[in-house]
Amino acid sequence: VHRSNASTLRHTPRNWLQIENMEKIRLSKNFSLAEMVATSFPAFQKPPTTQEIANLAYLCAAVLQPLRNSLGEPIIITSGYRSPSLNKYVGGVANSRHLNGFAADIRIKSEAHALKMFEILKKNPCVDSCLVERKGATRWLHVQTSYNPRGLFNFNYNVWN
């Protein structure tokens, strides 16, 4: 979280963290808190805790912003932080890194676009795992980080649900 927002977060009641206010909190140059918690199922989403916001800021600063900078174009996050009720509703696994703000799913424009992002992320030592996931005809890039990254990569991961 940029320094200008750090004190705001420490002294902000959690109920203030509604989606309309989250756009004001920048996690990196090109990523806002609102973008990282957005969902098509808002009834199931709950605001993240301060620790989860800190984890999202680390994900953005260490992984997503460097990816965007290397690509030279915006990337579209389709799923970032998920509250437990949202994760359950969308069929996420119980130990999903989305639950603590350490994961994001990114829209893939084409096979070449997926491969380019995959190759950039393979060079980033902060990446815990990177999966080009597939469920039927739908594909997306899942990337996660941790404070002790394992560096796991799979370009053709099938999601079974």
Side-chain angles (χ1 to χ4, degrees):
V1 177
H2 287 147
R3 272 187 207 179
S4 61
N5 293 324
S7 64
T8 302
L9 282 176
R10 279 194 300 275
H11 304 295
T12 301
R14 193 162 179 210
N15 62 357
W16 181 86
L17 290 174
Q18 301 305 318
I19 196 72
E20 62 270 11
N21 296 319
M22 290 185 194
E23 190 59 45
K24 298 173 188 171
I25 300 174
R26 305 300 300 174
L27 300 175
S28 71
K29 179 181 176 187
N30 296 106
F31 295 95
S32 71
L33 181 56
E35 180 178 12
M36 297 305 295
V37 301
T39 177
S40 298
F41 310 103
F44 295 94
Q45 183 70 300
K46 304 289 184 260
T49 65
T50 303
Q51 182 59 56
E52 291 157 348
I53 294 170
N55 295 346
L56 285 167
Y58 178 73
L59 172 68
C60 290
V63 178
L64 299 178
Q65 190 64 51
L67 173 62
R68 188 199 187 285
N69 293 347
S70 293
L71 280 174
E73 64 185 51
I75 57 176
I76 298 172
I77 305 301
T78 58
S79 182
Y81 168 75
R82 295 181 195 153
S83 64
S85 57
L86 176 61
N87 191 61
K88 184 175 181 179
Y89 183 77
V90 300
V93 296
N95 64 345
S96 172
R97 302 297 280 169
H98 287 279
L99 290 165
N100 56 21
F102 278 130
D105 294 337
I106 302 169
R107 181 175 295 152
I108 293 173
K109 294 191 251 183
S110 66
E111 180 98 7
H113 183 244
L115 185 58
K116 186 174 182 180
M117 289 191 292
F118 190 80
E119 291 301 322
I120 290 168
L121 290 166
K122 279 174 73 171
K123 297 173 188 170
N124 185 329
C126 297
V127 173
D128 179 65
S129 67
C130 178
L131 310 169
V132 176
E133 296 182 322
R134 176 187 316 264
K135 185 174 184 180
T138 305
R139 292 179 54 166
W140 64 94
L141 187 140
H142 171 88
V143 63
Q144 65 186 42
T145 190
S146 75
Y147 294 119
N148 296 301
R150 300 169 294 169
L152 304 174
F153 294 87
N154 186 334
F155 192 76
N156 194 23
Y157 185 83
N158 285 307
V159 177
W160 302 100
N161 278 348

